[in-house]
Amino acid sequence: MALIMSDVDRFEAARPRLEAIAYRMLGSSGEAEDAVQETYLRWQAADTGRIEVPEAWLTKVLTNYCLNQLTSARARRETYVGQWLPEPLLAGDPMLGPADTAEQRESVSYAVLVLLERLTPNERAVYVLREAFGYAHREVAEILDIGEASAQQLFHRAKKHLAEGRARTEIDEEAARRIVEEFLAAATSGRTEPLVRLLTQDAAALGDGGGKVPARASAFEGARAVATFLRGLFKPSDSKRALVGGSPSFYASTANGEPAIVALVDGRVIGITCLEVTAEGIVAVRSQVNPDKLDRATARWAAEGHEEAPLFSF
């Protein structure tokens, strides 16, 4: 059935919201775009004249597609090389979705995206729809074809899992830059003590290289172990330049609302390190260096035309 223009317009109006839901569900911009495209194909094949509430219909189709993808993703990640981390999105990326409330900003923070991996697919869907997009429990239940009481139970269970062991601090852009500047100054000082002072005692550092870039399979744990690793990581050497294809430059930014260090070589983003900050200090240092998960960040960085000097280069 051929689409009339009003149907195309309806879908395009919904696209930003659908992409933001899918990204929170899947942790990948590419997979989110695929999910939205599949939803469009199903919308194209549907008798749209009989769909009373297009937004609800599209959300239901998208969510169920994402649930299927999450189920298969669990099997794929069992064979993933090393740690699996979500794809970070730089500040201002429209796929980050709404950021009007603290709950919306929290729901797409990098730390929460990592924690979402612990939830069942249904728990993740309920949390995303309710917390980030304000769907009522009744609406969530209809989307997932479950009872309203079950939707409420899943939401409370998800909130409990996500609240365990964390008390992150919401940070504005100016504060994020100061944190990155202080972190880089400590990391490039050649000494561990300045880093230890910035980290919590139970701090952890981990990275995702996807088997394409060297990254430790297990996390470094404890302030001193993390500080020792970071001191070595930021020590310039010819072998590191050869590994990344040039001399990297490091900039301050934010990714998913967290202070972030963006590393570039010849305009290409080769790494994004997100710092999870609490009132006690930096509790986690998460680095995404898998090139498959940095293409969107490279395109966004180029589109924004950054002209500031790097904080550090080697």
Side-chain angles (χ1 to χ4, degrees), residues 223 262 284:
V262 181

Side-chain angles (χ1 to χ4, degrees), residues 231-246 248 314:
R231 183 191 63 187
L233 182 67
F234 284 93
K235 184 177 181 180
S237 70
D238 290 338
S239 61
K240 289 175 186 172
R241 295 186 190 95
L243 179 65
V244 300
F314 69 72

Side-chain angles (χ1 to χ4, degrees), residues 183-205:
F183 177 85
L184 269 178
T188 58
S189 69
R191 297 181 294 122
T192 58
E193 289 307 321
L195 278 166
V196 170
R197 288 195 290 270
L198 296 179
L199 301 166
T200 62
Q201 286 304 305
D202 60 348

Side-chain angles (χ1 to χ4, degrees), residues 248-271:
S249 297
F250 300 87
Y251 297 82
S253 186
T254 60
N256 297 74
E258 293 185 357
I261 302 158
V262 181
L264 289 96
V265 171
D266 297 331
R268 174 175 53 90
V269 175
I270 61 165

